[in-house]
Amino acid sequence: MIAARTLIRLTAVGLVVASMAACTRRPVTPAVPNTPPAGDMGGPAYPTAPTGPIEGSAGAGVAAPGSAQEFAINVGDRIYFDLDSYQVSPEAYARLDAQAQWLQRYPQVMVRIEGNADERGTREYNLALAARRAESIRNYMIERGISAGRIDTISFGKERPIALGSSEDSWARNRNGRTALVSGAN
Amino acid sequence: MRLNLLLSTVAAVAVAGATLVQAQSARPQAPAPQQQTPVEVEIDQGVIRPFQIAVAPFSGPNGSQVTQVIGDNLRRSGFFEPMNPSGFIETGLSLQNAPNFPQWTQIGAQAVLYGSVTPRADGRNDFGFRLYDPYRQCQLVSYNFTATPEQWRRISHKIADVVYQRMTGESGFFDSRILYVAESGTGLNRLSRLAIVDSDGADPQFLTGGEEIILTPRFSSNPNEIVYMGLGKDYSRIYLYNLSTGRRESLGEFDGQAFGPRYSPDATKVAFSIIRGGNTDVYVMDLRTRQLSRLTSDPGIDTSPSFSPDASRIVFNSDRTGTPRLYVMNADGSGQRPISRGGGSYTAPAWSPRGDLIAFTRSQGGRFATGVMNADGSGERQLSSSYFEEGPSWAPNGRYLMFARQTRGGDTNLWMVDLSGRVIAQSGYQGRGSDPAWSPLLADTPTQLGRAQGPDSCPS
């Protein structure tokens, strides 16, 4: 089981890498020198183990199974990218795999992948860069068996930051792709 | 809104008709004139001393405001240093008289501007003015604008343009407006609205209500027509918007996300980018036929197209070789070749209205800079650099650039730099804003500037 998953994952990585190699010769290594190790650049930490359901008290809203809230809480709707990179990083595989599994459980759900960039780039180029991020996630999902027709994409460039401030940490959080549930959720 | 106000200008050459020549003797060179430190404009090292101009108070309705606007414009240009009126010896200049030249050379005035606002029988006002060279003792300009009284500010810009043009030999730029994206709100609750403001920062007006994030507004060659991008929660759209009629329409629905629009110089086409399958290419649409043509097709990001003023070529941004560089192609997409030569990232190119230069944003080593290069990529010069700045837009005379500058962790404002890099200052509009776009001149500056109009006109 684990071996099979790993194999699928490697295949997926191989496909993504191959498709990117076919698309561009652009290096995905960070362009800025003195970049901290990748672990520091990965933005918010991903849970190392699957997070259990979160109990809520009445009135505060319990996440109904199959709802957007449940998706955001139990699966996680964002993954993060390295500086100037649009390659899905290995740290993000678990979350995207979980997203794909969730979407397989709720096959009526349609999603929109939103690509985001940090503020350290010019407006139009960042729109194009963030679009590549959204597309990388979309391709990953398709490789994991989600029908292409269920996945729309949009680039928000640097226009919709989720973290304030001009720090490495904020920039890392703002380099993300979000899987938004468009319809079909409970 | 003053969008629809008709500006009727009458080139009434004879301001007062009187012969102005007076026999006056020039005194020896004046003693060192008093310095007035500009508040808004930084002038590096005083390499070039701004031209000392005396803007004498205009008489008549709104006269003092007209005087103020003209003086502020001239100062902001960096070429002029309007002198402190408290040092003026001669007061009460009237259009019927030439200045008392020695009283101006004595205080070091290199030019003297004065005028009056005079109500007419038809309800409009005459805005007459004269510009003299007190050293040569001759008249540089004599001119009169006629307009409705409420247009005093607009006329002040036009007078400043006439003075700028006569003294520098370059066309003016004050009678223009700036489109920008007004930013308000705090934290992650930011409101983004399309706005427009006079070139000197006066009269800012919102054009959208904040329901969409606004990006990259740009003028057509007609200053009443603009194009911009609106980003909604789940869509993005390019709008064509006529400021005088209020008509707004979508450029179209495309198979992919469209962004980064720019008009062709004759306003018959819009070039922009479309993202398809994660890949961004440059397209151009004929606005009459709505026919779409694809200009680039490589797998790299191709974006930010900007036409040369003769419409024959387009400069754009591509990272097809790895990092973003500037490329030039023919307007049909043929002959694509890189022009930028340095390291780092080059983005956001803008072709000068004169055709000679291309402005851009360059980032390298964690800083962002505004620069210019020749259309073949040679002669690159950096004009400004900071923690973050982007998106230069040309003044109508191709002598200044406006761009957005963000302080670290702080707000974004509009800044201006001249081609020498000498004047770097916040723009006339000091509020929060980004994505400035400079309009063409709202109307042509008169060409008959009063040369050889009278017996005391300057020979050149």
Side-chain angles (χ1 to χ4, degrees):
Chain A
M1 177 65 186
I2 291 171
R5 266 193 66 166
T6 309
L7 196 65
I8 290 168
R9 194 181 289 169
L10 287 173
T11 310
V13 174
L15 283 164
V16 169
V17 169
S19 67
M20 287 196 314
C23 282
T24 174
R25 291 169 296 283
R26 188 162 184 270
V28 292
T29 47
V32 172
N34 304 322
T35 301
D40 293 331
M41 293 298 295
Y46 295 93
T48 48
T51 327
I54 295 181
E55 301 294 331
S57 57
V62 180
S67 69
Q69 193 184 1
E70 189 246 346
F71 178 77
I73 292 172
N74 291 347
V75 179
D77 59 355
R78 284 183 208 265
I79 67 156
Y80 301 90
F81 290 85
D82 288 341
L83 181 64
D84 281 341
S85 169
Y86 54 96
Q87 184 179 16
V88 174
S89 65
E91 295 84 40
Y93 294 160
R95 178 163 290 178
L96 287 189
D97 290 346
Q99 288 187 2
Q101 284 162 15
W102 194 92
L103 290 172
Q104 272 159 351
R105 198 179 316 146
Y106 301 102
Q108 75 284 7
V109 171
M110 310 285 279
V111 299
R112 176 182 64 245
I113 314 286
E114 302 167 347
N116 292 289
D118 67 32
E119 64 179 19
R120 299 295 286 163
T122 55
R123 200 171 306 285
E124 292 180 351
Y125 185 77
N126 269 14
L127 274 169
L129 176 64
R132 281 177 168 168
R133 289 181 176 151
E135 191 68 13
S136 292
I137 295 173
R138 181 172 185 269
N139 288 337
Y140 189 98
M141 293 293 203
I142 291 169
E143 293 304 328
R144 299 309 312 272
I146 308 301
S147 146
R150 295 173 65 191
I151 313 172
D152 198 4
T153 58
I154 190 170
S155 174
F156 290 155
K158 61 176 176 179
E159 313 306 324
R160 293 191 189 276
I162 58 168
L164 275 179
S166 298
S167 65
E168 293 287 348
D169 180 60
S170 297
W171 298 332
R173 284 175 55 79
N174 289 330
R175 292 190 296 268
N176 67 72
R178 173 172 178 254
T179 303
L181 310 191
V182 176
S183 64
N186 292 329
Chain B
M1 302 252 301
R2 293 185 291 119
L3 300 175
N4 290 319
L5 293 179
L6 277 176
L7 176 76
S8 66
T9 61
V10 179
V13 170
V15 170
T19 303
L20 298 171
V21 185
Q22 298 178 356
Q24 298 189 15
S25 59
R27 291 190 184 180
Q29 272 287 348
Q34 55 185 322
Q35 287 280 353
Q36 186 182 351
T37 309
V39 178
E40 297 166 281
V41 179
E42 307 164 8
I43 295 174
D44 287 353
Q45 319 298 328
V47 177
I48 302 171
R49 189 149 175 270
F51 195 86
Q52 306 285 301
I53 185 169
V55 182
F58 278 51
S59 61
N62 302 113
S64 60
Q65 293 155 296
V66 169
T67 312
Q68 184 73 37
V69 170
I70 294 171
D72 289 348
N73 277 348
L74 294 175
R75 176 179 289 113
R76 197 175 300 105
S77 77
F79 279 107
F80 298 91
E81 189 174 314
M83 304 174 72
N84 187 339
S86 67
F88 295 171
I89 299 168
E90 180 177 29
T91 56
L93 268 169
S94 106
L95 288 174
Q96 281 71 38
N97 301 99
N100 183 330
F101 297 123
Q103 293 186 350
W104 294 102
T105 55
Q106 189 182 332
I107 62 170
Q110 293 169 282
V112 182
L113 175 71
Y114 60 103
S116 71
V117 184
T118 314
R120 293 156 48 107
D122 64 3
R124 295 184 297 165
N125 284 346
D126 279 331
F127 298 78
F129 61 99
R130 295 184 186 280
L131 181 67
Y132 270 88
D133 179 340
Y135 287 97
R136 290 194 293 162
Q137 304 196 349
C138 57
Q139 180 174 269
L140 292 160
V141 172
S142 166
Y143 208 80
N144 183 70
F145 290 107
T146 302
T148 49
E150 69 271 17
Q151 295 192 87
W152 63 267
R153 184 179 284 281
R154 176 88 195 277
I155 298 302
S156 307
H157 294 318
K158 296 187 73 68
I159 294 172
D161 274 334
V162 167
V163 172
Y164 181 93
Q165 185 167 330
R166 186 66 176 91
M167 303 309 300
T168 67
E170 314 258 348
S171 60
F173 64 98
F174 303 116
D175 184 27
S176 61
R177 301 199 293 175
I178 312 292
L179 277 171
Y180 65 102
V181 178
E183 299 181 348
S184 56
T186 54
L188 299 173
N189 263 331
R190 274 182 281 179
L191 194 60
S192 153
R193 283 176 287 184
L194 180 63
I196 192 164
V197 66
D198 290 356
S199 71
D200 64 344
D203 199 19
Q205 296 176 7
F206 294 119
L207 300 174
T208 66
E211 59 283 346
E212 292 174 328
I213 294 174
I214 306 299
L215 296 83
T216 63
R218 273 91 190 236
F219 280 98
S220 149
S221 51
N222 172 348
N224 280 325
E225 289 180 354
I226 67 168
V227 62
Y228 68 95
M229 178 184 166
L231 190 60
K233 189 169 171 289
D234 57 359
Y235 67 90
S236 84
R237 194 170 291 148
I238 293 174
Y239 293 100
L240 302 167
Y241 185 24
N242 187 305
L243 297 175
S244 53
T245 66
R247 177 178 157 82
R248 190 185 327 238
E249 62 174 317
S250 169
L251 183 65
E253 297 298 321
F254 303 97
D255 176 22
Q257 189 176 354
F259 70 100
R262 267 213 176 89
Y263 277 100
S264 65
D266 65 0
T268 61
K269 301 186 186 79
V270 170
F272 58 103
S273 300
I274 301 179
I275 306 166
R276 281 181 178 151
N279 180 37
T280 301
D281 280 307
V282 175
Y283 293 72
V284 67
M285 175 180 262
D286 185 300
L287 290 176
R288 192 176 51 80
T289 65
R290 298 281 160 157
Q291 189 183 339
L292 187 65
S293 310
R294 183 173 182 167
L295 300 185
T296 70
S297 57
D298 68 273
I301 288 172
D302 297 314
T303 188
S304 302
S306 172
F307 282 90
S308 63
D310 68 359
S312 67
R313 286 176 293 168
I314 293 172
V315 62
F316 65 104
N317 185 208
S318 179
D319 70 352
R320 60 186 67 178
T321 60
T323 51
R325 303 170 72 184
L326 303 188
Y327 286 68
V328 165
M329 62 183 165
N330 297 323
D332 63 359
S334 65
Q336 298 177 18
R337 61 194 182 281
I339 59 163
S340 62
R341 303 173 180 185
S345 295
Y346 292 83
T347 55
W351 210 307
S352 157
R354 293 183 172 196
D356 52 347
L357 295 172
I358 289 164
F360 53 85
T361 303
R362 183 179 180 187
S363 74
Q364 197 173 28
R367 279 180 74 80
F368 287 74
T370 300
V372 293
M373 62 176 65
N374 297 323
D376 64 358
S378 65
E380 178 177 337
R381 284 185 292 141
Q382 177 178 300
L383 302 177
S384 164
S385 118
S386 63
Y387 166 73
F388 183 81
E389 57 191 60
E390 68 167 316
S393 174
W394 289 95
N397 67 356
R399 287 289 312 180
Y400 298 83
L401 290 164
M402 198 174 288
F403 54 94
R405 182 185 276 189
Q406 181 196 358
T407 56
R408 178 161 193 150
D411 290 339
T412 304
N413 298 93
L414 309 183
W415 283 67
M416 191 174 105
V417 64
D418 81 325
L419 273 189
S420 70
R422 199 164 50 87
V423 178
I424 302 176
Q426 246 185 287
S427 76
Y429 178 74
Q430 311 252 313
R432 287 166 61 191
S434 59
D435 282 18
W438 212 318
S439 81
L441 279 180
L442 301 184
D444 290 337
T445 301
T447 50
Q448 297 301 317
L449 290 175
R451 299 179 199 201
Q453 286 177 350
D456 67 342
S457 289
C458 294
S460 61

